Amino acid sequence: MAISTGLLFLTVSCGESKDRASGANPSESASDAPPRTAEEGPSFQLPIAHYSFTTEESELLSKAERIATAQCMDRFDATYTPVRAPLDSGSDRRYGITSRKEAEELGYHRPSAPQGTNKAMPKRDLLVLMGSLHPEQNSSDTPMVNVDGKQVPVPNGGCAGAGARTVRGIAVESKGAATAQNIALTGFKESLADAKVVSVLQRWTQCMKEGGFTYSSPLDPIEDFAGKSTATAEEKRLALTDVTCKEKTDLVRTWVGAESSIQKAKIAEHMKDLTDLKNLHAAQMKTARSIIAKSDG
């Protein structure tokens, strides 16, 4: 079975600032996971989701980064209008399509995320924002720009990079993030051999045959329609049959239960690394909320 799942790898951070991370309160940051919403999909019902950001937290981090970037641009007297970057559409395809509304309207196509736009920027200001006008050249030279008659160095990665570091800290390899992603991946693979999952997939396959479609995996139809511009009536009928068969066989609840058991065992083996990751996330959220509060105030 091909693994083509929308949220197989959860939103975890690999950026860490030792100063900020060490300031986290372990008793607070290692507490229960933030509340999830049903719209976030089955991936967020899994235990490893406790070590990822919620949709609301991701929004706050992005907002804080935009504020920090704008503040940096102000120091260079650069024109900049922060634009809210669209997050993932939230269409969770870990076990294939599960939204009846999406199936009816889009078939297996994903909802389109709103596209942020920004006015064309002068080259000087774009250089300050991005740190380079030609990032593909990988130049080691630090660009300089004129500010009030003085040549001032542009931050590494421009103000966009500086804004991200202000919120998330200096990016270093995070063992906790790698561990969480590995658990998300290997747990899924191992769940395919679970007896309950094997059984429910067989029932789903039989249900699909009764509807006139032959598939052995809920992930296969997604691959069949990848790259096609629009959903046909037949694609929508297939997607609706797919969702209906998942509901009739209780596929999602069964699969989440099986994978959760696998993940819990893996999490117990790597609790220190994952707790460190949770502490890091708590520190980053504390920084983000402080930046937003000062800006709003």
Side-chain angles (χ1 to χ4, degrees), residues 3-297:
I3 300 177
S4 176
T5 54
L7 289 173
L8 185 56
F9 299 106
L10 298 167
T11 308
V12 292
S13 170
C14 59
E16 178 172 1
S17 166
K18 292 183 179 179
D19 292 339
R20 273 197 284 273
S22 63
N25 185 330
S27 63
E28 291 179 358
S29 54
S31 62
D32 291 339
R36 304 288 182 178
T37 63
E39 289 75 15
E40 288 180 301
S43 291
F44 285 98
Q45 299 174 30
L46 295 166
I48 200 61
H50 287 225
Y51 304 95
S52 70
F53 292 116
T54 65
T55 300
E56 179 185 4
E57 287 172 333
S58 294
E59 291 274 10
L60 288 174
L61 286 168
S62 295
K63 181 178 180 180
E65 287 181 13
R66 293 195 298 273
I67 292 171
T69 298
Q71 291 171 343
C72 173
M73 294 290 283
D74 284 344
R75 292 194 290 272
F76 285 87
D77 294 328
T79 302
Y80 174 63
T81 302
V83 175
R84 179 183 177 277
L87 296 176
D88 186 90
S89 65
S91 180
D92 186 351
R93 306 291 175 90
R94 190 178 188 86
Y95 308 125
I97 189 170
T98 56
S99 168
R100 179 168 293 276
K101 183 174 184 292
E102 286 183 20
E104 291 175 340
E105 297 177 357
L106 302 168
Y108 289 97
H109 287 64
R110 289 184 178 276
S112 298
Q115 298 299 312
T117 58
N118 209 335
K119 295 180 180 179
M121 299 175 64
K123 286 187 176 180
R124 174 197 179 275
D125 296 351
L126 184 60
L127 175 63
V128 174
L129 177 64
M130 304 306 297
S132 174
L133 295 177
H134 305 285
E136 70 281 359
Q137 295 180 359
N138 295 320
S139 174
S140 60
D141 296 334
T142 300
M144 308 288 288
V145 295
N146 185 293
V147 180
D148 295 330
K150 297 180 180 179
Q151 291 297 304
V152 180
V154 175
N156 181 32
C159 282
R165 289 190 296 274
T166 298
V167 178
R168 298 177 187 263
I170 300 173
V172 297
E173 184 176 354
S174 171
K175 189 175 181 181
T179 297
Q181 291 178 344
N182 184 60
I183 290 173
L185 175 60
T186 59
F188 180 87
K189 288 181 176 179
E190 291 177 20
S191 72
L192 295 173
D194 182 271
K196 292 181 179 179
V197 173
V198 171
S199 176
V200 78
L201 286 175
Q202 290 173 344
R203 297 196 304 275
W204 175 86
T205 297
Q206 181 58 38
C207 178
M208 291 292 285
K209 283 184 179 179
E210 294 170 359
F213 303 103
T214 302
Y215 286 99
S216 60
S217 161
L219 303 184
D220 290 343
I222 297 176
E223 297 298 323
D224 285 351
F225 294 98
K228 296 186 178 181
S229 57
T230 58
T232 63
E234 182 67 4
E235 178 185 341
K236 294 177 182 179
R237 189 173 80 84
L238 169 58
L240 273 172
T241 302
D242 184 350
V243 172
T244 298
C245 286
K246 285 188 176 80
E247 294 171 350
K248 285 183 176 180
T249 60
D250 205 14
L251 183 145
V252 173
R253 188 186 66 82
T254 300
W255 207 335
V256 166
E259 195 173 354
S260 293
S261 297
I262 295 170
Q263 286 190 0
K264 285 177 182 178
K266 294 179 181 295
I267 289 170
E269 295 174 1
H270 301 281
M271 186 57 70
K272 182 184 182 304
D273 292 337
L274 293 173
T275 299
D276 288 346
L277 177 63
K278 200 172 182 71
N279 288 345
L280 169 60
H281 285 180
Q284 291 173 332
M285 289 308 305
K286 182 178 180 180
T287 299
R289 290 189 173 100
S290 175
I291 291 171
I292 293 170
K294 290 177 181 178
S295 174
D296 292 344

